[in-house]
Amino acid sequence: MMQMQIGLLPLKMEGQRLLLVDQRKLPGGLEYFDATSFEDLCFAITAMVVRGAPSIGVSAAFGLALEAKRQATMASPSDFMAKMTESARILNATRPTAVNLRWGIDRIMNGLSTALKNSTLESENVLAAKAAFADAEQILDEHIQSNKAIGEFGNQLLPSDCNVITHCNAGSLAACGWGTALGVIRSAHFAGKNISVFVDETRPRNQGANLTMWELTEDKIPATLVCDNMSGHIMLHKKVDCIIVGADRIALNGDTANKIGTYNLAVLANYHHIPFYVAAPLSTFDPGISDGSMIPIEERDENEVIFQSGQSITVPGARAYNPAFDVTPASLISAIISDRGVLRAPYSESISLALADKFGLIEIK
Ligand code: MRU
């Protein structure tokens, strides 16, 4: 079996600078956005320079660790933590749906508060900030590992000849390294299976057309771009073996939030008796919510719908509605492919088991 070469990572550190792949510019050009300052990081998440739930979480962790370094010499440990708590609150408000954002922030903040428990010396802030940076690097490595585990578990579900539909971009740019939904597709392809992919363009921001097609083409995995409204026709007239999508937040009962249009795909897949798989790391599960009705759905600017490449596609003064995500009920999900294994219904049981067991990460050679 071919060795897994991870794809382009969504971020890199250059000295003390946090550089993000500007995903708005792909596939036209590979540019890096300097998100070293706290304000630039918050802008980069809101404006979707970096996007995709796991990559948002990892970028937030690095950004908050850099902020800790900046603030470390400025105050006593208690003032420092008060400042960091405020920064964490601002960062967490940049986008509401992807729970990985809060997950990444909590990991760093828990590390800081543990390190500074009962501390009074300013010098300890510096040590805590250093540890926070090591945490961020650990989080990135964990996601690279978890991507690979998801790929391996998901590959076992796919037949040797397999036509897949995927939605949005859940690849190395969105998930750090190998991808979640695209990680499954990559693992199957590089395991020698005959995989071909129908890629939803994913209006209004076209993550499928811009990013997923780019990643699959880079890996020479056969892919066909389709409009989001073609899924039903494709399922009726073409051989589709399964649907694989990513996730932004998974509730304890399995209800899953993902890019708008995912719910449509799930309903169609069930009507056509086609397996519908969700692929996601444990950092995307939200143990704090029991079902999907509690997932906040981001509504973005109407102009993302009205304008394409700067051109209006409608009449002057038109209004648009732009929910960025929808929720697929657990009843429509055939399996959730996680980094702890393939979870099946009843999800309240399998998810609780997986969350309880999350520490034993599998190392895929
Ligand atoms: O608005 P985006 O581009 O951040 O939405 C991304 C998605 O919905 C992805 O499918 C999801 O985050 C999974 S990424 C591995």
Side-chain angles (χ1 to χ4, degrees):
M1 184 173 75
M2 192 190 141
Q3 187 61 18
M4 294 176 165
Q5 296 303 323
I6 61 168
L8 179 66
L9 287 175
L11 59 92
K12 65 181 180 180
M13 287 300 301
E14 224 163 65
Q16 290 305 305
R17 294 197 308 150
L18 174 62
L19 302 180
L20 305 173
V21 170
D22 193 335
Q23 298 187 34
R24 303 168 302 173
K25 303 289 171 62
L26 285 167
L30 176 55
E31 294 175 27
Y32 281 87
F33 176 95
D34 190 331
T36 307
S37 81
F38 184 71
E39 294 65 30
D40 287 338
L41 172 73
C42 291
F43 167 80
I45 294 174
T46 309
M48 297 176 64
V49 171
V50 61
R51 34 76 42 210
S55 292
I56 292 171
V58 174
S59 305
F62 274 95
L64 207 53
L66 281 174
E67 177 69 357
K69 273 193 176 171
R70 273 188 294 269
Q71 302 297 342
T73 55
M74 294 182 190
S76 68
S78 55
D79 291 348
F80 168 67
M81 280 310 289
K83 179 75 186 97
M84 289 307 298
T85 304
E86 176 55 13
S87 300
R89 186 191 63 72
I90 294 166
L91 187 54
N92 198 36
T94 48
R95 292 189 76 190
T97 305
V99 74
N100 299 67
L101 175 58
R102 192 190 70 213
W103 181 92
I105 291 169
D106 287 353
R107 269 283 288 270
I108 298 297
M109 291 304 288
N110 292 344
L112 288 174
S113 57
T114 307
L116 291 172
K117 209 160 184 208
N118 309 325
S119 300
T120 55
L121 301 175
E122 180 194 311
S123 58
E124 288 168 317
N125 295 348
V126 177
L127 294 176
K130 260 209 187 94
F133 205 79
D135 270 352
E137 289 171 330
Q138 168 73 19
I139 288 171
L140 174 59
D141 189 54
E142 284 176 13
H143 277 77
I144 293 171
Q145 293 300 332
S146 87
N147 277 210
K148 292 178 182 176
I150 290 170
E152 277 311 295
F153 287 126
N155 172 27
Q156 293 157 20
L157 297 175
L158 303 192
S160 50
D161 277 302
C162 187
N163 291 345
V164 181
I165 296 179
T166 194
H167 191 69
C168 195
N169 172 258
S172 58
L173 290 164
C176 294
W178 189 246
T180 54
L182 282 197
V184 174
I185 291 166
R186 277 194 170 106
S187 292
H189 173 78
F190 289 116
K193 293 184 179 176
N194 181 18
I195 306 293
S196 64
V197 190
F198 290 106
V199 177
D200 278 354
E201 63 180 347
T202 318
R203 283 266 294 151
R205 292 192 66 120
N206 300 327
Q207 291 92 327
N210 297 342
L211 304 173
T212 299
M213 285 302 289
W214 181 75
E215 289 196 42
L216 293 174
T217 306
E218 288 282 304
D219 283 348
K220 299 185 176 44
I221 299 175
T224 307
L225 180 62
V226 296
C227 297
D228 305 335
N229 50 16
M230 296 173 182
S231 318
H233 178 80
I234 292 168
M235 290 183 206
L236 188 59
H237 296 289
K238 301 268 183 197
K239 172 181 167 300
V240 175
D241 298 286
C242 65
I243 319 281
I244 312 177
V245 297
D248 289 270
R249 192 184 298 229
I250 302 175
L252 274 178
N253 74 339
D255 292 349
T256 296
N258 193 45
K259 182 49 57 188
I260 193 77
T262 303
Y263 174 52
N264 304 18
L265 270 180
V267 171
L268 282 163
N270 274 266
Y271 178 82
H272 290 283
H273 308 295
I274 296 171
F276 181 86
Y277 299 130
V278 168
L282 287 177
S283 54
T284 303
F285 289 70
D286 186 349
I289 59 168
S290 55
D291 67 69
S293 66
M294 301 164 73
I295 300 177
I297 298 296
E298 179 184 12
E299 278 196 34
R300 294 186 63 88
D301 193 314
E302 297 175 55
N303 290 324
E304 291 186 352
V305 174
I306 292 169
F307 291 90
Q308 285 290 290
S309 314
Q311 294 293 319
S312 171
I313 60 170
T314 185
V315 295
R319 302 301 310 273
Y321 174 46
N322 188 14
F325 301 95
D326 57 26
V327 174
T328 296
S331 58
L332 299 182
I333 300 171
S334 313
I336 298 175
I337 307 163
S338 82
D339 42 359
R340 293 304 304 142
V342 175
L343 312 182
R344 300 276 186 183
Y347 291 110
S348 46
E349 282 172 29
S350 56
I351 290 177
S352 307
L353 274 176
L355 287 172
D357 183 12
K358 79 176 180 178
F359 294 108
L361 264 179
I362 296 177
E363 187 80 22
I364 301 281
K365 293 285 171 252

